[in-house]
Amino acid sequence: MSTTGATADPLAALGSLPGVAESVESVRKAVDRVYGHRVMRRRSNEITSEAALRGARGSAALSGADWELEEVRRRSDFAGDDARVMGAALRLTAEAGQLLSIWRQSPLRVLARLHLVAAATGGDEVGRPRQAGEPVDEPLVELDLPGADEVHGRLEGLSDLVIAGSSAPALVMAAVVHGELLALRPFASCNGLIARTAERIVLVGSGLDPKSVCPAEVGHAELGRAAYLAALEGYVSGTPEGMAAWIAHCGRAVGLGARESTAVCEALQRGAA
């Protein structure tokens, strides 16, 4: 999504695309069900912790490390290829809550920090957008890779959007941030994990999910990688239909994340978890 030369609030029009209002309303109802649950009033910290774990597990699954939840809960050693992906997802989920106050003032700073946390290695390419000729390790997204100049320009445009704010619903902003980062793949590695973490930051920071108990990553994983990539192709197309389909996909993911935490609430109420 190019923002060059856009209107003062270029995201506002996305809220009126066919089906988007219905997605926004469906998400709101799903979120309200979680926050209205009696367990949330007494044990919200437990729900938040469990949502973070399940969200990290879902995000890692989409990046090729599909572990059982109990294995994620049990493990402390995250060496090895799949384990490194899982470790990165867990670190990003933990870090996201520390960056909420910075996001609206300096989203590029937050993205750089997320890459540092995810990569957890040295190297000149860590913590900054890629430069011309630098490879990108993101094998699960096979769309054409934008050049470095385009990446830098579109990141600046995305930053301007976030800083300016929008009258568009939080779901729309979250979907655009997520889709733009995944389309650009601005870093040498960990782009999918970072894009989904940024989506979480928007959903929490917007006030839609202030306690971070509706992990969209769970829903994205449940909907499946094929549907995720097909919806992303719609975003990349830039057509109204494609954009609406991507926003609706993100809405379904948030709704499924909310459903997951509602089930956790029910289990805690029964004394089963």
Side-chain angles (χ1 to χ4, degrees), residues 41-241:
R41 293 193 289 272
R42 305 191 311 271
R43 305 175 71 174
S44 64
N45 288 341
E46 292 175 67
I47 307 302
T48 295
S49 296
E50 189 65 19
L53 186 71
R54 294 178 185 225
R57 184 256 159 210
S59 189
L62 284 170
S63 286
D66 192 358
W67 292 18
E68 294 295 330
L69 183 62
E70 290 311 312
E71 177 70 3
V72 182
R73 207 186 300 279
R74 180 186 67 81
R75 284 282 290 271
S76 58
D77 174 21
F78 293 100
D81 289 344
D82 280 5
R84 278 197 293 269
V85 172
M86 183 61 69
L90 290 166
R91 290 192 301 274
L92 285 171
T93 300
E95 187 74 11
Q98 311 302 314
L99 300 172
L100 293 170
S101 62
I102 305 171
W103 174 255
R104 284 293 299 274
Q105 285 74 43
S106 185
L108 297 183
R109 179 181 164 196
V110 168
L111 294 174
R113 174 62 184 169
L114 291 176
H115 190 234
L116 281 167
V117 168
T121 60
D124 292 341
E125 78 283 359
V126 176
R128 60 154 175 80
R130 56 186 169 85
Q131 298 176 359
E134 290 182 339
V136 174
D137 181 14
E138 195 64 52
L140 300 177
V141 179
E142 298 180 352
L143 298 170
D144 289 343
L145 191 67
D149 288 345
E150 181 180 351
V151 167
H152 284 258
R154 287 171 63 174
L155 279 178
E156 289 290 345
L158 184 64
S159 176
D160 291 344
L161 277 179
V162 171
I163 293 169
S166 175
S167 62
L171 173 63
V172 172
M173 176 67 85
V176 167
V177 168
H178 182 172
E180 190 72 354
L181 292 174
L182 206 53
L184 292 177
R185 283 148 288 163
F187 299 105
S189 61
C190 304
N191 290 289
L193 297 173
I194 290 168
R196 291 183 288 275
T197 303
E199 179 185 47
R200 172 189 285 264
I201 287 172
V202 174
L203 293 170
V204 174
S206 68
L208 177 63
D209 179 22
K211 294 183 182 294
S212 194
V213 295
C214 303
E217 305 96 323
V218 168
H220 286 303
E222 184 173 337
L223 290 167
R225 193 178 302 157
Y228 184 63
L229 295 177
L232 177 64
E233 287 182 5
Y235 176 86
V236 172
S237 76
T239 65
E241 297 80 9

Side-chain angles (χ1 to χ4, degrees), residues 22-37 40 208-209 213-214 251-263 265:
E22 291 82 356
S23 294
V24 169
E25 180 61 21
S26 177
V27 166
R28 169 51 64 191
K29 288 179 179 178
V31 172
D32 285 349
R33 278 194 292 273
V34 180
Y35 279 84
H37 199 285
M40 275 292 293
L208 177 63
D209 179 22
V213 295
C214 303
R252 287 191 291 274
V254 177
L256 289 169
R259 187 183 72 178
E260 182 91 352
S261 286
T262 300
C265 288

